[in-house]
Amino acid sequence: MKTQAISATPPEQLQQVTFDSAMEARIEELLQRYPTKRAALLPVLWLCQERYGWISQGVIEAVARRLGESPAFVEGVVSFYTMFFRQPPAKYVLQLCVTLSCELCGAQRLAQRIKEKLGIGFGEKTADGVFQLVGVECLGACGGAPVLQVNQDYYEHMSEEALDQLLEELAKEQ
Amino acid sequence: MESILLRARGVPNSRDLDSYLARGGWEGLKRALAMAPEAVIQEVIDSELRGRGGAGFPTGRKWSFVPKDHPGPKYLICNADESEPGTFKDREIIEYDPQMVLEGIAIAAYAIGAHTAYIYIRGEFFRWARLLEEAIGQARSRGFLGKDILGSGFDLEVWVHRGAGAYICGEETALIESLEGKRGFPRLKPPFPAVVGLFGQPTVVNNVETLACIPHILTRGAKWFASIGRPRNTGPKLFCVSGHVNRPGVYELPLGVSFREIIYEHAGGIRNGNRLKAFFPGGSSAPVLTAQDVDVAADFDACAAAGSMLGSGGIIVMDETVNMVEVGRNLAHFYAHESCGQCTPCREGSDWCLDIFNRLLQGLGHPSDPEQLLRICRYASQGMTICPLGDAFALPISSLVTKFREEFEAAIKRSRPLPPQKLPVMPWTGKDIRFGG
Ligand SMILES: Cc1cc2nc3c(=O)[nH]c(=O)nc-3n(C[C@H](O)[C@H](O)[C@H](O)COP(=O)(O)O)c2cc1C
Ligand code: FES
């Protein structure tokens, strides 16, 4: 498994957003699935996050215009869900599960190891912008505790050695 | 018991439509389409299938609440949010047998008269959302979904809708709000979704595992299904075992086997030869059970009789090394993070509990803390909130306090004495000192 890096569009390029024809086509296709435009909001936000890496104020405004909502409404929705990035994320977002089964199986040891290796704690990013550590709640994979999600991929039964190896591989990738 | 819901585990290319057909897949839909919708509902009622999402509500009865003569569209939602801590079974089904879920969806939609179905899957499940999309594409290309399914005149479109990180969106009304493009705020019930649901139309919400049972009920009959397990608690169940066991994983067993069998035989017993201390029998929102309860039968009624619930079947096992105050802190952290914030007792109560747990663990406990925790929990449960998230945090936390009180008392004993909690008040002398007397 090779985890794909996130490439985040720099903030200055996301101040004013207009969707190109490829995006438009996909939005049009999403709108066919629902009887209201509003229902396409989450899928359209996902589309934007895939494309730009994160959801800037400019993206919120563009989405709001496209779906006929107010920017405030869209922002309210974006802020309710934990997976939408409001800041440009690192290339690899390490999402460490800290809920019960993972904590019972040593999640705190992994957090400690990440701190030693990369010098970052929860909510922090490395200076080179490669890694970012986030504590997340149960990932629905507790049988594989402790679980670490990196971008889209699940890594289960993580030992400290497996973590070291993973971090090295990811650092080499880019 | 033979493998039913997980029979594809270990089969090469098991996700492939042809592999599913070779297992007798899509036969259930063929049978259903030859029956009247009411007869399909009756078959499911007779099977006594109860929902696997958490509440254990009889599935056939839920379907029968959908008004037959409704003039507008009706919807079916497959709940693949899998957000209850300790639960990881729906992902297993999707990994090995997504066609089975789609067949269940198609039969359920036919029974209630829905022509659109959404699979709401948690945002973190990128891979499993993709697997479902692929499965839908395959089923559609062979005429099992889409227009005029198998020449029956019945149409059904199925869409995958991804969440974006929120436990509460597993709750059916929050899920519906989220699907409508809003914040995941639960709705007051009644009206129940079966009458006023998605886009204001009658809607049935069923869990992935519930829907996965449906094709088997249709192909092998309600009688066969009801012969598995115990009366009122019928059928196979996926038990997710995690925590301090030697072989964590998903085990398919008939409802009603004992927790002892699940933990010691199937999950290989407690790690390092340690002793079992306690377990959550049905996800972290179920009141904790202790080692003495290990012979309780793992089904809806037996768990309720033991003062807990089977919930989603997520069994979280803790050995003798675990401090229950720390378990409480971990859970309070989860619920404080996941409370949607609409109701004060849940929003403030979960956070307040977290504060108390943090204090207890930092050596700043107060003798009134256990009572305070119980009081907060009392006010957050018993219908004081819009949705059951209040109970979901209050019941396990109060069970920890009641069943492991001595560990709370020990944490308080270890605490430094706190500075006086009340401002010193001038003793009443009977004279008004402000005016000199
Ligand atoms: C806080 C909360 C979280 C829930 N999370 C889930 C979930 O992740 N998956 C699920 O299927 N049901 C979940 N439920 C239960 C649903 O509300 C609903 O009862 C269920 O999807 C109905 O399906 P069933 O009848 O097939 O069990 C949750 C309920 C609550 C109160
Ligand atoms: S507790 Fe970590 S995946 Fe469930």
Side-chain angles (χ1 to χ4, degrees):
Chain A
M1 178 164 62
K2 204 178 124 223
T3 292
Q4 268 211 317
I6 298 174
S7 93
T9 308
E12 44 304 348
Q13 290 171 34
L14 280 186
Q15 278 166 6
Q16 294 285 327
V17 178
T18 35
F19 299 132
D20 58 21
S21 54
M23 281 287 270
E24 265 307 326
R26 293 194 59 188
I27 293 173
E28 204 44 59
E29 183 207 328
L30 287 172
L31 286 170
Q32 302 308 312
R33 302 181 178 184
Y34 310 96
T36 66
K37 276 184 173 179
R38 180 179 276 186
L41 180 51
L42 253 51
V44 170
L45 286 167
W46 272 120
L47 203 59
C48 292
Q49 183 147 307
E50 263 166 45
R51 173 69 178 267
Y52 308 115
W54 61 294
I55 307 289
S56 69
Q57 193 59 34
V59 170
I60 286 180
E61 282 161 19
V63 170
R65 267 197 311 278
R66 183 63 183 81
L67 298 182
E69 299 288 348
S70 70
F73 178 83
V74 175
E75 182 158 5
V77 172
V78 170
S79 64
F80 187 81
Y81 301 92
T82 54
M83 294 187 74
F84 294 126
F85 298 121
R86 290 300 323 273
Q87 304 290 329
K91 286 205 164 98
Y92 298 106
V93 183
L94 309 174
Q95 299 150 81
L96 182 64
C97 174
V98 296
T99 310
L100 190 55
S101 301
C102 286
E103 182 160 325
L104 290 171
C105 296
Q108 289 306 329
R109 282 203 307 275
L110 295 182
Q112 193 59 38
R113 191 68 156 217
I114 291 172
K115 178 100 200 168
E116 284 160 20
K117 287 261 157 184
L118 303 174
I120 50 173
F122 290 119
E124 292 173 356
K125 218 197 256 191
T126 54
D128 57 6
V130 178
F131 293 108
Q132 175 178 354
L133 176 61
V134 191
V136 296
E137 299 295 351
C138 181
L139 289 167
C142 329
V147 184
L148 177 72
Q149 181 172 14
V150 185
N151 299 352
Q152 299 197 2
D153 299 326
Y154 276 48
Y155 293 87
E156 302 179 30
H157 299 293
M158 282 306 272
S159 62
E160 280 138 294
E161 295 70 46
L163 176 69
D164 289 352
Q165 204 187 335
L166 174 65
L167 293 180
E168 261 161 49
E169 274 166 25
L170 293 176
K172 238 185 284 157
E173 270 306 316
Q174 45 87 50
Chain B
M1 188 190 78
E2 61 165 320
S3 206
I4 298 163
L5 302 179
L6 290 182
R7 63 187 173 161
R9 196 156 67 169
V11 173
N13 297 322
S14 66
R15 280 194 295 274
D16 205 71
L17 178 56
D18 287 313
S19 167
Y20 187 58
L21 290 173
R23 287 192 286 282
W26 291 103
E27 282 302 317
L29 178 66
K30 284 182 199 153
R31 294 226 176 146
L33 291 175
M35 294 158 73
E38 297 76 38
V40 176
I41 296 179
Q42 192 56 47
E43 190 76 10
V44 175
I45 291 177
D46 293 342
S47 77
E48 298 186 45
L49 169 65
R50 293 171 69 172
R52 307 307 201 217
F57 193 83
T59 306
R61 270 197 32 226
K62 189 189 274 190
W63 295 2
S64 72
F65 295 153
V66 174
K68 308 243 163 346
D69 48 1
H70 180 72
K74 304 170 195 171
Y75 295 101
L76 178 79
I77 298 173
C78 170
N79 188 345
D81 197 57
E82 190 121 286
S83 51
E84 177 68 23
T87 314
F88 44 100
K89 60 192 177 65
D90 300 342
R91 177 179 84 136
E92 198 88 349
I93 296 177
I94 297 166
E95 176 74 39
Y96 295 104
D97 221 352
Q99 294 288 336
M100 179 170 64
V101 181
L102 297 182
E103 186 180 355
I105 289 173
I107 296 168
Y110 173 74
I112 64 165
H115 299 289
T116 309
Y118 297 100
I119 305 176
Y120 187 98
I121 186 165
R122 60 180 298 169
E124 293 86 347
F125 279 1
F126 291 91
R127 171 182 166 81
W128 297 279
R130 265 197 307 275
L131 297 184
L132 283 168
E133 302 257 11
E134 282 166 24
I136 292 170
Q138 273 196 355
R140 218 171 174 285
S141 71
R142 303 271 283 270
F144 294 108
L145 296 176
K147 289 253 172 307
D148 189 19
I149 294 174
L150 303 173
S152 66
F154 174 63
D155 305 335
L156 177 66
E157 291 299 342
V158 181
W159 304 111
V160 176
H161 188 98
R162 296 181 51 223
Y167 165 64
I168 191 58
C169 290
E171 194 282 332
E172 56 188 9
T173 61
L175 186 160
I176 287 172
E177 286 281 302
S178 176
L179 227 167
E180 290 181 359
K182 295 178 250 172
R183 295 164 74 89
F185 282 162
R187 296 176 181 171
L188 264 178
K189 294 194 268 194
F192 289 92
V195 183
V196 182
L198 186 62
F199 308 118
Q201 309 293 339
T203 304
V204 163
V205 183
N206 274 138
N207 173 256
V208 170
E209 186 187 351
T210 311
L211 290 167
C213 291
I214 302 295
H216 301 281
I217 293 173
L218 267 288
T219 40
R220 300 172 76 172
K223 259 221 191 75
W224 162 81
F225 192 87
S227 73
I228 302 168
R230 309 200 308 168
R232 287 183 25 87
N233 296 268
T234 61
K237 175 84 193 83
L238 300 186
F239 293 101
C240 321
V241 193
S242 65
H244 293 156
V245 288
N246 285 316
R247 287 196 302 272
V250 184
Y251 298 94
E252 179 175 18
L253 297 163
L255 274 171
V257 298
S258 71
F259 285 103
R260 181 186 296 282
E261 181 181 332
I262 299 173
I263 295 172
Y264 287 95
E265 280 177 40
H266 300 284
I270 311 298
R271 63 161 191 189
N272 305 332
N274 285 357
R275 269 183 307 124
L276 171 68
K277 179 171 185 174
F279 59 100
F280 290 98
S284 68
S285 306
V288 73
L289 294 178
T290 66
Q292 277 120 46
D293 303 313
V294 74
D295 289 308
V296 167
D299 67 27
F300 297 104
D301 295 340
C303 285
S308 187
M309 56 189 221
L310 185 69
S312 55
I315 305 170
I316 309 173
V317 178
M318 292 161 282
D319 73 9
E320 57 192 307
T321 64
V322 173
N323 175 347
M324 289 301 171
V325 183
E326 281 179 30
V327 171
R329 192 212 58 85
N330 187 290
L331 293 187
H333 184 273
F334 175 81
Y335 292 104
H337 183 266
E338 300 298 341
S339 170
C340 83
Q342 282 189 106
C343 311
T344 313
C346 171
R347 180 189 65 238
E348 302 300 318
S350 52
D351 225 38
W352 192 355
C353 287
L354 177 58
D355 279 349
I356 295 178
F357 281 114
N358 277 332
R359 265 200 301 100
L360 281 166
L361 291 168
Q362 287 160 6
L364 293 169
H366 188 271
S368 66
D369 285 344
E371 283 311 317
Q372 186 69 288
L373 285 168
L374 291 175
R375 203 170 66 95
I376 297 168
C377 290
R378 218 162 35 241
Y379 284 114
S381 54
Q382 302 171 346
M384 301 288 204
T385 52
I386 293 175
C387 90
L389 197 136
D391 304 85
F393 95 79
L395 299 179
I397 287 181
S398 51
S399 74
L400 289 172
V401 179
T402 350
K403 295 187 180 169
F404 296 95
R405 182 88 181 215
E406 64 290 352
E407 297 189 25
F408 288 78
E409 300 297 346
I412 294 163
K413 264 222 190 79
R414 282 195 298 274
S415 297
R416 282 170 266 149
L418 285 178
Q421 301 253 307
K422 296 199 173 72
L423 290 174
V425 175
M426 195 77 75
W428 174 243
T429 58
K431 295 178 194 155
D432 197 334
I433 55 176
R434 283 173 303 176
F435 302 107

